[in-house]
Amino acid sequence: MKIINGIGASDYVALEKMYFIETVDYEVLPKEGFDPKVELDHFKSVQKQALDELEILYQQTLKKNKTSAEIFKVHQMMLEDYDYVESVEALILKTYSASYAVYETGKKLKAFFESLDNEILNERAFDVVDVSRRMLRIFKGIKDNKELPKGKFILVSEDLYPSDIVKFEYSQIAGFVTKYGSRNGHAAILARTLNIPIVVNLGDKFELLPEEGILAINGLTGEVILNPNNYVTDIYKEKLKEQEEQVKMLLKYKDLKAISPKGKHIEVAVNIGSLNDLELVKKSGADGVGLFRSEFIYLESKKYPTEEEQFLIYKEVLSKLEGKKVIIRTLDIGADKKVDYFNLPKEDNPALGFRAVRICLKRPEIFKAQLRALIRASAYGKLAIMVPMITDLCQVLESKKMIKEIMEELKKENIPYDENLFFGIMIETPAAAIISDVLAKHVDFFSIGTNDLTQYTIAVDRTNAEVEELFDYSHEAIKRLVKLIADNAHKENIWVGICGESASELSLIDYYLEVGIDELSVSPGKVSKVKKAIIESKNG
Ligand code: PEP
Ligand code: MG
């Protein structure tokens, strides 16, 4: 038995055989003097083989899970991307070998994505490495043929790449262990979504793991035990039993209405960021979408997404959710979410700077394209438009004026839309909270963004690990503001929700019910837990 520790990033345990995937880093040395014509042909043929492999993987995965299969389409697009091919060809024309050109281009693109000040785009670096590895393996003539394991297993790897994970049935994976990675990396997010444990960042201790063996892992404490003895095995079996009972027990709440003991129905909705999350929404048992972070559409694009592109996305979300309420938040770019093509100025205090509605109102052509797309999509479901980072009544009035003008335009153009769509705002600044009595007269709902409200009220940077312990959703100041906002909303007969992370903080749910919160919007994996807490609340 051997015990090592990493960082636990998803609160579950697992006890299973390990399945080790080697992530070979192929290195190619720069050598010149190759014939560009021969190398170009070589590149094209390897690219074609890689595209064929990806097509097979896409078709195989499609049968299991449409969303996961999309990863292979993205990889195909990357391989044929103009910038990618151009960079490879430029190196080949300098007489480098095709494999070096692919290796170097992959390295350059990886560094580019990692350098961006944006977590979502940083994750793209993984896809680049994944695609490069596939190409370099084909250059070396190695087949991708390690036999897939049967039954359940814990996936162990230095790092997990998207195409490594989707090869398996999700139900086979009992947990993950990685040498690298962080709490917010893509593997950790997937583990939390699947409700399985993950231990990341074992560092050098990772080398202590052999290729085969039994592992007991704890995603809460970060403990990884190799070949546990009978005593530890029994403890883990007991924990697993409790865990299974908990999951089974929570399943009972999934499709229940979250009605508090005093008879109030609290809507439990989910926060999502892309079309890929729609399947999770359906599976979660949520009443609707409480926050669709539309800025992800901008973050994943290389240019301003057009009205038509956005319309198609919003229409799909609304249609697929079949009449459930979908709150789509307008662009919340700026601060920690930067996009190159916006050419935003460098700021000393970006969290207090040019972001969200401030950008939208100063650059109305951007805002208008989004609002037109949203209003057109409203004909296909139950849409609520929500504007973030409000600090002043004039921002609400200006946004509403634009919506009214667009509706008149669409009417003249004979384009359908829902005249009764909801219009609401996020209350996530102390200013908005303090004047929420005034704001409530002009909107259909409030959604409290406790992430930013906490950052701005306690004056604690939400992205700074040094002050993490001061970031406290249950600080008396935040609780008082939440009550003030809820009271002001109800005086004007509008509803009020919470879409910040604290909405799933079980220790706060009693308080939220006591002050009359009407909706809680949480991540899909938390819906059943929150419903249970509401149904069993003492204050509801
Ligand atoms: C919030 O601030 O609470 C919120 C939900 O918005 P974001 O986390 O996207 O800033
Ligand atoms: Mg916010």
Side-chain angles (χ1 to χ4, degrees):
M1 189 169 95
K2 205 179 276 169
I3 304 178
I4 46 186
N5 277 290
I7 298 175
S10 175
D11 317 353
Y12 294 89
V13 298
L15 173 69
E16 283 299 342
K17 62 177 178 288
M18 57 188 278
Y19 180 72
F20 188 85
I21 10 182
E22 208 166 349
T23 50
V24 190
D25 271 335
Y26 300 100
E27 202 186 338
V28 187
L29 297 173
K31 273 200 213 136
E32 290 165 83
F34 289 85
D35 177 351
K37 192 176 166 323
V38 174
E39 294 307 301
L40 269 180
D41 285 349
H42 196 184
F43 166 63
K44 293 277 173 223
S45 117
V46 170
Q47 184 196 33
K48 161 119 189 21
Q49 284 181 59
L51 288 169
D52 290 348
E53 274 189 18
L54 289 164
E55 187 57 31
I56 293 170
L57 284 167
Y58 173 72
Q59 296 298 344
Q60 282 171 350
T61 318
L62 197 60
K63 290 181 208 138
K64 294 186 274 176
N65 185 322
K66 185 164 179 281
T67 311
S68 306
E70 286 306 319
I71 286 172
F72 298 115
K73 281 281 156 211
V74 171
H75 286 191
Q76 283 180 326
M77 268 157 35
M78 280 182 159
L79 267 181
E80 293 182 297
D81 181 74
Y82 178 80
D83 292 338
Y84 178 78
V85 175
E86 192 188 45
S87 162
V88 172
E89 287 179 350
L91 284 162
I92 289 177
L93 290 177
K94 286 185 188 158
T95 78
Y96 285 110
S97 68
S99 57
Y100 177 72
V102 164
Y103 171 71
E104 190 55 28
T105 298
K107 245 175 54 181
K108 209 172 68 188
L109 272 177
K110 174 178 181 262
F112 166 73
F113 282 115
E114 282 175 345
S115 72
L116 300 176
D117 189 14
N118 172 310
E119 270 186 34
I120 297 157
L121 293 180
N122 295 157
E123 289 290 307
R124 279 276 166 269
F126 275 93
D127 293 291
V128 171
V129 175
D130 209 344
V131 167
S132 280
R133 274 169 60 214
R134 181 176 302 285
M135 291 283 285
L136 294 173
R137 177 178 50 70
I138 299 174
F139 272 117
K140 285 199 175 278
I142 301 170
K143 286 217 162 66
D144 187 18
N145 61 356
K146 185 169 177 191
E147 209 180 304
L148 294 183
K150 302 217 167 35
K152 286 197 158 222
F153 56 86
I154 294 172
L155 202 54
V156 181
S157 181
E158 290 201 349
D159 229 333
L160 285 166
Y161 294 94
S163 71
D164 290 330
I165 300 172
V166 299
K167 266 199 287 213
F168 307 106
E169 296 283 350
Y170 282 162
S171 58
Q172 279 188 284
I173 310 175
F176 298 117
V177 173
T178 63
K179 178 173 181 177
Y180 304 110
S182 69
R183 268 207 179 90
N184 294 314
H186 66 291
I189 293 168
L190 179 68
R192 290 197 289 269
T193 309
L194 298 177
N195 294 339
I196 58 174
I198 180 166
V199 178
V200 296
N201 221 316
L202 287 188
D204 291 343
K205 288 169 277 174
F206 183 84
E207 311 306 335
L208 300 172
L209 293 177
E211 283 212 12
E212 283 176 12
I214 301 289
L215 289 184
I217 66 170
N218 187 332
L220 182 66
T221 60
E223 179 180 69
V224 175
I225 305 174
L226 174 68
N227 296 329
N229 60 23
N230 289 346
Y231 174 70
V232 173
T233 302
D234 285 347
I235 295 178
Y236 266 78
K237 280 189 177 159
E238 196 52 42
K239 282 188 187 162
L240 275 169
K241 221 164 98 196
E242 280 168 25
Q243 190 170 290
E244 272 165 32
E245 276 161 16
Q246 239 238 332
V247 170
K248 233 191 257 158
M249 180 274 293
L250 282 175
L251 221 53
K252 287 193 300 207
Y253 291 85
K254 182 171 93 71
D255 296 313
L256 293 185
K257 275 192 163 191
I259 297 180
S260 73
K262 287 191 184 155
K264 174 166 169 167
H265 177 212
I266 313 295
E267 278 188 42
V268 181
V270 284
N271 296 349
I272 59 170
S274 83
L275 290 177
N276 292 346
D277 299 334
L278 287 182
E279 271 175 52
L280 295 177
V281 179
K282 288 198 168 173
K283 278 196 197 140
S284 70
D287 296 316
V289 171
L291 169 64
F292 180 105
R293 290 180 159 103
S294 74
E295 61 274 10
F296 282 31
I297 300 170
Y298 292 74
L299 290 167
E300 285 169 3
S301 179
K302 282 187 178 164
K303 57 168 188 41
Y304 291 105
T306 63
E307 174 188 326
E308 194 59 24
E309 283 163 354
Q310 293 191 66
F311 164 68
L312 293 175
I313 296 173
Y314 303 144
K315 180 182 163 195
E316 187 168 345
V317 179
L318 285 156
S319 319
K320 287 235 169 96
L321 291 177
E322 297 161 342
K324 287 184 171 165
K325 187 165 68 205
V326 178
I327 303 180
I328 302 186
R329 170 171 84 182
T330 57
L331 193 52
D332 189 11
I333 228 81
D336 56 331
K337 297 172 203 152
K338 289 272 190 310
V339 184
D340 279 354
Y341 59 84
F342 270 69
N343 290 319
L344 295 173
K346 195 145 181 49
E347 298 172 299
D348 287 340
N349 288 305
L352 305 182
F354 195 41
R355 63 174 291 199
V357 70
R358 300 171 180 183
I359 297 179
C360 289
L361 294 176
K362 257 204 177 155
R363 299 194 184 166
E365 66 293 350
I366 298 176
F367 201 22
K368 186 169 175 193
Q370 179 171 43
L371 288 176
R372 260 187 74 103
L374 282 168
I375 299 169
R376 284 171 57 198
S378 70
Y380 300 87
K382 197 167 170 190
L383 173 68
I385 296 178
M386 175 162 80
V387 182
M389 273 303 288
I390 293 291
T391 52
D392 202 304
L393 176 62
C394 65
Q395 295 163 327
V396 177
L397 299 180
E398 266 188 71
S399 304
K400 282 180 77 173
K401 185 164 163 261
M402 282 182 74
I403 291 176
K404 190 159 167 266
E405 284 166 5
I406 291 169
M407 284 183 168
E408 279 160 12
E409 248 173 51
L410 293 176
K411 201 175 264 169
K412 278 194 203 131
E413 293 167 34
N414 265 332
I415 298 177
Y417 64 90
D418 176 9
E419 283 186 4
N420 300 316
L421 63 81
F422 302 102
F423 174 79
I425 54 173
M426 286 194 68
I427 303 288
E428 53 182 343
T429 63
I434 293 164
I435 60 165
S436 52
D437 54 336
V438 179
L439 300 174
K441 295 185 202 306
H442 301 272
V443 298
D444 298 316
F445 67 92
F446 285 157
S447 186
I448 308 177
T450 42
N451 306 338
D452 277 316
L453 187 63
T454 305
Q455 143 162 285
Y456 293 126
T457 306
I458 311 183
V460 50
D461 180 351
R462 61 191 266 192
T463 63
N464 183 345
E466 287 298 323
V467 286
E468 205 176 271
E469 71 283 1
L470 295 175
F471 193 90
D472 178 13
Y473 297 120
S474 53
H475 190 294
E476 185 58 23
I478 309 299
K479 286 170 81 175
R480 287 191 200 182
L481 286 181
V482 168
K483 178 169 168 26
L484 175 74
I485 298 162
D487 287 348
N488 284 334
H490 292 146
K491 270 185 214 148
E492 293 299 330
N493 289 319
I494 65 166
W495 60 266
V496 54
I498 296 181
C499 62
E501 288 298 305
S502 72
S504 57
E505 192 74 54
L506 298 186
S507 60
L508 278 169
I509 287 186
D510 277 354
Y511 181 73
Y512 291 157
L513 296 188
E514 188 186 315
V515 300
I517 295 297
D518 303 294
E519 179 236 37
L520 293 169
S521 191
V522 302
S523 63
K526 302 258 172 76
V527 170
S528 298
K529 261 189 201 162
V530 169
K531 283 190 174 182
K532 176 176 184 291
I534 293 168
I535 292 168
E536 292 170 2
S537 157
K538 291 182 199 67
N539 290 332

